[in-house]
Amino acid sequence: MQLLAIEKLTKSFGGLTAVLNVNIELQQGELIGLIGPNGAGKTTVFNLLTGVYVPTSGNITFCKDDSKISLHGLRPHKICKEGVARTFQNIRLFRDLTVFDNVRIAMHKNVKYGLLASLLHSPSYRREEKTIADASMELLKIFNLDEKKDEYAKNLPYGEQRHLEIARALATNPELLLLDEPAAGMNPAETAQLTELIKWIREKFNLTILLIEHDMSVVMKICERIYVLDYGILIAEGTPDEIRSNPRVIEAYLGEDVSNA
Amino acid sequence: MRGILNKQLTQRIIFMLLAYAIVQLLVSTNIINAYLQATLVTICINIILAVSLNLITGFTGQFSLGHAGFMSIGAYTCALITMRVPTIAGFLAGVLMGAVMAALVGFLVGLPTLRLRGDYLAIATLGMSEIIRIVFINLDSITNGAAGLNDIPRFVNWPWLYVFVAGTILLIRNLLKSSHGRACIAIREDEIAAEAMGINTTKYKVLAFIIGAFCAGIAGALYSSYFYYIKPDLFGFLKSVDILVIVVLGGLGSISGSVLAAVLLAVVSTYFQSFPEIRMILYALILVIIMIFRPQGLLGSKEISISMFNRMGKLFAFGKGEK
């Protein structure tokens, strides 16, 4: 079943076209990679998907419960409510808040109690806060962060900050998860562990994942299909094996070494 | 767990009653005389103003220089109502209407200006409060222009002050401990990430503005009812800065810090009345010194809480046990 369809997506910043006529299609439950050299427009695609930028033209359709929703022009918080969550290339945690609060904040969209209930700390407030706290702790346990719940996010080691960002994205209870270079800055051991984690959370949370990553060991290993962007244009699409042997990709991005390897 | 919660709640209630009773006792025995009572009222009003501005600037991260504007709306609304209905019911209606009017203006002003950030927002809110001031000066027939309103009936006494101060602190504290409050704090931390995590940032910025203005309206109403004389110039730019000084001094993002700073500054300023020539110099000097040694404010973003005293108590008890 189709979950996301991006059709002829274009974004221009003044004279610069960052993304041109990009078509991407995601089936439910897939794990798809989006790769390309620096400045190819990968993060721009994420920003268009999550409403940070409004597309110059093109359609983004998100399929949920048999209905099609256009994400075009929606504000980011609305898109999050529809079930699209993301992490950021340069970590954007709430640095001066605790690990626990980082996750709790992301559960905001499911909160039903109103302003009055929160001002008076009514029974419905207490009940829901307890649910939020329990669910947050459960998520933190999955990422082995439960013992650091009262630590400030900025004090976590780099790898754990990346993990916390994924935990926070999952706290919004998404159907589609967009990961922007989750392995950036990690050592090979951490990267291998992250690769397993991504595979595992997809099963556990029944997710569809779109992954931007420079580390080929991650992308080639876990992605079912890969899209390749270069200068804002989609130059290839296919399975890891097809991408590996695609001459246009090798020319644009992977280089001689990889083709010989 | 239930036992601990109840214990905390009991302690909190005892603390609140105690604070009320002690001051009441001091007022009844005339240790807090008429002169010191004016200081007490100033402290209480400044606490309400600082805590509510802290919600906007310290917790939600929206730099506002217009708090005195909201205060003046509360002051004028309450004054005009109590002058026509000089009863306790009229006073309460005046406080409520003053707060509601201020909140309404907060909403109308907040919606367009909260697109701005940082310095630009500060300038916009400053302009807003100046407009309010000029309107009050020019609405001669209602506000008596620059001369101001005189002979406003006095209803404010310590019990009422206490109700409004404690009420403001409790409500804002409760809000900040809820998901709605956490949404506000998330905006301060990282607006883009907050928005991506499903928080309607515009809604919560405006909400913080409305609640902050509502409380400033209450403070203004109490001011007019105690000092029985108001004029537009009392609520100018300098008043907004005064409030901001309390918030920054106490610590952006600390309610108890705002309370502490409001008390401290009032005490310092009252004490220095005996040296009128150098009073403002000393006052400014103290501010400069505190900011050099505690740039994050007296309490930073920490809170003084009753459970903190409990922990300290346990620590001391433990120390004694060892010896």
Side-chain angles (χ1 to χ4, degrees):
Chain A
M1 202 181 86
Q2 196 184 52
L3 183 74
L4 184 81
I6 300 173
E7 291 161 306
K8 298 204 162 183
L9 189 68
T10 301
K11 176 70 188 174
S12 314
F13 298 101
L16 178 87
T17 305
V19 172
L20 182 65
N21 283 335
V22 166
N23 298 300
I24 295 177
E25 207 177 286
L26 265 67
Q27 303 294 321
Q28 185 119 42
E30 272 187 313
L31 207 170
I32 303 297
L34 180 60
I35 64 172
N38 283 333
K42 307 179 295 289
T43 298
T44 305
V45 170
F46 268 28
N47 283 338
L48 290 167
L49 280 177
T50 52
V52 176
Y53 300 146
V54 178
T56 308
S57 65
N59 291 320
I60 306 169
T61 318
F62 188 61
C63 308
K64 198 170 121 187
D65 310 329
D66 300 326
S67 58
K68 287 186 193 303
I69 303 155
S70 170
L71 300 185
H72 188 290
L74 288 187
R75 289 207 24 215
H77 70 92
K78 286 260 169 67
I79 292 177
C80 174
K81 280 186 181 126
E82 297 296 350
V84 182
R86 72 175 291 182
T87 64
F88 294 89
Q89 184 177 0
N90 33 12
I91 306 176
R92 274 183 175 270
L93 287 167
F94 305 122
R95 292 170 48 80
D96 287 316
L97 301 182
T98 63
V99 168
F100 187 48
D101 276 343
N102 265 277
V103 175
R104 279 205 295 177
I105 284 170
M107 300 208 167
H108 178 75
K109 71 169 194 180
N110 298 320
V111 167
K112 284 181 196 69
Y113 64 78
L115 188 63
L116 203 63
S118 70
L119 289 175
L120 301 175
H121 282 193
S122 72
S124 68
Y125 159 86
R126 280 160 209 269
R127 218 171 28 243
E128 281 192 51
E129 279 295 303
K130 172 112 180 44
T131 317
I132 290 172
D134 291 347
S136 303
M137 281 316 289
E138 218 168 284
L139 255 178
L140 288 177
K141 268 201 193 97
I142 290 173
F143 289 86
N144 277 328
L145 286 166
D146 50 325
E147 278 172 17
K148 295 196 172 176
K149 83 177 182 67
D150 294 322
E151 192 74 63
Y152 288 124
K154 64 178 174 192
N155 293 340
L156 291 182
Y158 183 80
E160 286 184 353
Q161 290 196 13
R162 287 262 175 222
H163 282 181
L164 179 57
E165 237 202 351
I166 298 176
R168 185 180 67 172
L170 289 176
T172 66
N173 194 18
E175 289 181 42
L176 174 62
L177 180 62
L178 310 175
L179 298 175
D180 199 345
E181 293 199 36
M186 288 187 169
N187 65 34
E190 286 173 326
T191 304
Q193 193 199 3
L194 180 84
T195 312
E196 291 307 309
L197 185 74
I198 292 172
K199 270 203 292 200
W200 187 79
I201 57 172
R202 170 166 72 146
E203 301 297 323
K204 163 95 178 166
F205 294 94
N206 198 14
L207 288 171
T208 309
I209 296 177
L210 182 60
L211 175 75
I212 293 178
E213 188 50 72
H214 275 303
D215 191 323
M216 286 305 130
S217 72
V218 180
V219 184
M220 292 298 169
K221 197 165 162 196
I222 56 174
C223 291
E224 280 129 27
R225 285 188 296 128
I226 294 172
Y227 288 89
V228 188
L229 270 181
D230 191 24
Y231 292 110
I233 298 164
L234 214 52
I235 56 167
E237 178 208 336
T239 63
D241 284 335
E242 287 167 1
I243 295 299
R244 214 173 265 152
S245 52
N246 186 314
R248 278 196 73 187
V249 177
I250 294 167
E251 184 192 318
Y253 182 42
L254 294 179
E256 286 293 311
D257 293 346
V258 177
S259 63
N260 293 338
Chain B
M1 188 69 200
R2 213 169 171 83
I4 297 168
L5 271 180
N6 282 342
K7 192 184 154 204
Q8 255 185 11
L9 194 68
T10 330
Q11 278 179 336
R12 209 167 281 152
I13 291 168
I14 290 174
F15 173 76
M16 287 177 67
L17 289 177
L18 217 62
Y20 172 76
I22 290 172
V23 176
Q24 180 62 52
L25 194 74
L26 292 175
V27 172
S28 316
T29 52
N30 213 23
I31 294 174
I32 297 185
N33 54 29
Y35 172 65
L36 286 180
Q37 250 187 56
T39 306
L40 177 68
V41 175
T42 308
I43 289 177
C44 290
I45 289 170
N46 281 348
I47 288 176
I48 299 179
L49 289 169
V51 170
S52 56
L53 181 62
N54 211 338
L55 173 68
I56 298 173
T57 302
F59 290 99
T60 316
Q62 306 304 308
F63 193 9
S64 169
L65 274 177
H67 223 49
F70 298 131
M71 184 188 176
S72 69
I73 291 171
Y76 270 94
T77 311
C78 182
L80 291 169
I81 290 177
T82 45
M83 283 165 81
R84 280 165 186 74
V85 192
T87 62
I88 197 80
F91 163 66
L92 287 178
V95 175
L96 185 70
M97 274 312 288
V100 170
M101 290 297 287
L104 197 68
V105 174
F107 172 70
L108 291 177
V109 174
L111 218 49
T113 53
L114 284 171
R115 294 165 190 280
L116 306 171
R117 277 165 213 212
D119 323 359
Y120 305 103
L121 178 64
I123 292 167
T125 50
L126 172 65
M128 176 272 310
S129 76
E130 282 302 293
I131 290 171
I132 293 174
R133 192 172 67 86
I134 304 294
V135 167
F136 280 135
I137 290 179
N138 289 304
L139 270 179
D140 257 337
S141 53
I142 306 171
T143 63
N144 198 23
L149 292 173
N150 230 327
D151 291 330
I152 303 161
R154 176 189 278 185
F155 289 100
V156 168
N157 50 20
W158 168 242
W160 280 124
L161 276 176
Y162 185 79
V163 167
F164 286 114
V165 171
T168 305
I169 294 176
L170 269 182
L171 288 185
I172 291 185
R173 172 196 163 274
N174 280 359
L175 173 74
L176 289 168
K177 283 187 178 291
S178 74
S179 189
H180 302 292
R182 287 196 295 269
C184 291
I185 297 171
I187 293 172
R188 174 193 73 193
E189 288 294 310
D190 190 323
E191 201 171 328
I192 290 177
E195 185 75 39
M197 294 304 131
I199 290 165
N200 185 345
T201 51
T202 313
K203 177 181 153 190
Y204 281 98
K205 281 197 251 177
V206 173
L207 183 80
F209 226 63
I210 290 174
I211 295 176
F214 184 89
C215 296
I218 292 178
L222 296 177
Y223 182 94
S224 71
S225 183
Y226 185 83
F227 292 99
Y228 43 64
Y229 169 62
I230 51 172
K231 58 175 181 175
D233 285 350
L234 289 172
F235 309 104
F237 170 60
L238 282 177
K239 182 67 194 167
S240 291
V241 173
D242 271 348
I243 306 166
L244 190 68
V245 164
I246 299 175
V247 174
V248 174
L249 190 69
L252 287 162
S254 169
I255 294 177
S256 37
S258 291
V259 175
L260 187 71
V263 174
L264 189 79
L265 286 185
V267 169
V268 166
S269 146
T270 308
Y271 179 72
F272 285 158
Q273 302 268 340
S274 357
F275 324 99
E277 305 86 8
I278 51 165
R279 174 170 155 251
M280 286 323 285
I281 299 177
L282 286 176
Y283 186 85
L285 206 61
I286 286 180
L287 290 183
V288 171
I289 290 171
I290 294 179
M291 281 296 108
I292 288 173
F293 290 101
R294 295 274 312 165
Q296 71 276 48
L298 290 172
L299 293 186
S301 59
K302 305 252 179 341
E303 296 285 356
I304 298 175
S305 66
I306 293 174
S307 57
M308 209 164 99
F309 286 110
N310 283 343
R311 277 201 300 276
M312 261 159 69
K314 268 180 208 148
L315 212 67
F316 281 127
F318 187 64
K320 274 177 205 157
E322 271 188 331
K323 280 174 193 167

